[in-house]
């Protein structure tokens, strides 16, 4: 099992679970759309939100300029850069690992040039141009599984065996990355909760989380405020914090190394409780 994720020149120690705070610079993200972006990027708000997450204990911040919620409108390369790049440059001045959530090679290239530490690709490096864009850099790469396209992925997702199919995809894509010269210390895998998966698929993946790990690579999990939590708890997006924190802990108990969350402080408190019980020497 890889114990350090090398994110450009920033090593991330994975001997305990780490927190990735979510910052969406979009008008339409399902949970925080319009908070940091209305008619343009609100850099003051972005900085404030980022500092609050760092003070609450976030190890990484994930900045995105395109919503991938089911049915979201696609965004052009230029528009995504206009949203993301000024905010990214602000975050790079702070003492935190910065990730860019993009499926666009052009945006990844621009972010790498600016000094980003991790590229989070929800299309799992299936685009050869994306692989080219990241291969010669030193950034870490998150390979996420998605069935279909954001516009239609939730219409009728089907699998014979969701755990083994997701595992197979993550194995193939990590081998492509390794084959392109990207070291295992730069890779992290994500089963992609809610990306072309119904509630039963998501629950099967959470139960079988350890089985999707291939080549001993670290796992990133994003369950925060997602529809599955709304369906189980019968809560609107704004009221899903407790369900999200519990889901994050269930993932951490099953071996998740990085938790992608909106509610950083609450998730950190829960992680401290988990560590106190499960790893007494660490508390
Ligand atoms: N989920 C979302 C976006 N990016 N990246 C990874 N690696 N894993 C995830 O589970 C994941 C992700 C969707 O959540 P959010 O960013 O809150 O919403 P939106 O896509 O509407 O901006």
């Amino acid at each position: 099992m890889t114990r350090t994720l090398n994110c450009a020149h920033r090593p991330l120690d994975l001997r305990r679970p780490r927190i990735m705070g979510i910052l969406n610079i979009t008008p339409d993200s399902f949970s925080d759309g319009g908070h940091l972006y209305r008619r343009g990027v609100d850099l003051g708000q972005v900085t404030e939100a980022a500092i609050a997450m760092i003070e609450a204990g976030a190890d990484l911040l994930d900045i995105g300029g395109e919503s991938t919620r089911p049915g979201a409108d696609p965004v052009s390369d230029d528009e995504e850069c206009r949203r993301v790049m000024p905010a990214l440059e602000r975050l790079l001045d702070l003492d935190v690992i910065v990730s860019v959530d993009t499926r666009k090679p052009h945006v990844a290239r621009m972010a790498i040039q600016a000094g980003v530490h991790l590229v989070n690709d929800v299309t799992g490096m299936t685009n050869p141009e994306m692989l080219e864009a990241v291969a010669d850099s030193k950034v870490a790469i998150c390979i996420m599984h998605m069935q279909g396209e954001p516009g239609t992925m939730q219409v009728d997702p089907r699998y014979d065996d969701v755990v083994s199919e997701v595992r197979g995809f993550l194995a193939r894509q990590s081998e492509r990355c390794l084959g392109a010269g990207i070291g295992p210390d730069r890779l992290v895998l994500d089963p992609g909760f809610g990306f072309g998966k119904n509630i039963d698929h998501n629950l099967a993946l959470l139960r079988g989380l350890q089985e999707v790990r291939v080549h001993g690579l670290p796992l990133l999990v994003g369950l925060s405020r997602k529809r599955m939590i709304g369906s189980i708890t019968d809560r609107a997006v704004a009221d899903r914090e407790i369900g999200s924190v519990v889901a994050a802990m269930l993932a951490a108990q099953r071996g998740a190394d990085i938790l992608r969350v909106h509610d950083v402080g609450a998730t950190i408190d829960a992680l401290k409780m988990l560590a106190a019980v499960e790893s007494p020497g660490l508390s």
Side-chain angles (χ1 to χ4, degrees), residues 36-108:
L36 304 175
Y37 179 100
R38 269 176 214 98
R39 252 169 266 124
V41 187
D42 186 336
L43 283 179
Q45 286 264 33
V46 172
T47 312
E48 213 175 284
I51 290 173
M53 283 185 174
I54 294 167
E55 284 177 353
D59 303 286
L60 312 95
L61 296 178
D62 189 35
I63 182 171
E66 179 194 35
S67 172
T68 45
R69 74 181 159 75
D73 287 332
V75 171
S76 72
D77 282 15
D78 286 348
E79 175 60 16
E80 195 174 321
C81 280
R82 261 197 298 278
R83 292 179 183 181
V84 161
M85 292 308 297
L88 187 80
E89 278 158 21
R90 278 283 172 101
L91 300 192
L92 286 167
D93 287 337
L94 305 175
D95 184 24
V96 71
I97 295 176
V98 183
S99 156
V100 64
D101 184 351
T102 187
R103 51 183 171 150
K104 298 195 177 68
H106 175 67
V107 179

Side-chain angles (χ1 to χ4, degrees), residues 259-282:
L259 303 165
R260 184 180 182 275
V261 304
H262 300 87
D263 305 297
V264 173
T267 314
I268 298 251
D269 282 358
L271 272 182
K272 286 181 182 164
M273 290 302 302
L274 189 65
V277 175
E278 297 204 334
S279 329
L282 290 181

Side-chain angles (χ1 to χ4, degrees), residues 165-225:
E165 286 171 50
V166 169
R167 179 190 163 84
F169 172 86
L170 295 175
R172 278 192 304 282
Q173 294 310 109
S174 52
E175 280 150 25
R176 278 183 75 183
C177 289
L178 294 166
I182 298 167
D185 60 324
R186 288 174 54 201
L187 296 176
V188 55
L189 308 175
D190 182 343
F193 287 97
F195 284 85
K197 286 138 193 134
N198 63 29
I199 187 163
D200 293 331
H201 299 140
N202 288 321
L203 288 170
L205 282 167
L206 185 53
R207 287 187 201 104
L209 192 63
Q210 275 298 3
E211 292 166 54
V212 305
R213 193 193 298 278
V214 289
H215 304 307
L217 294 172
L219 293 175
L220 187 152
V221 163
L223 286 154
S224 189
R225 299 188 190 171

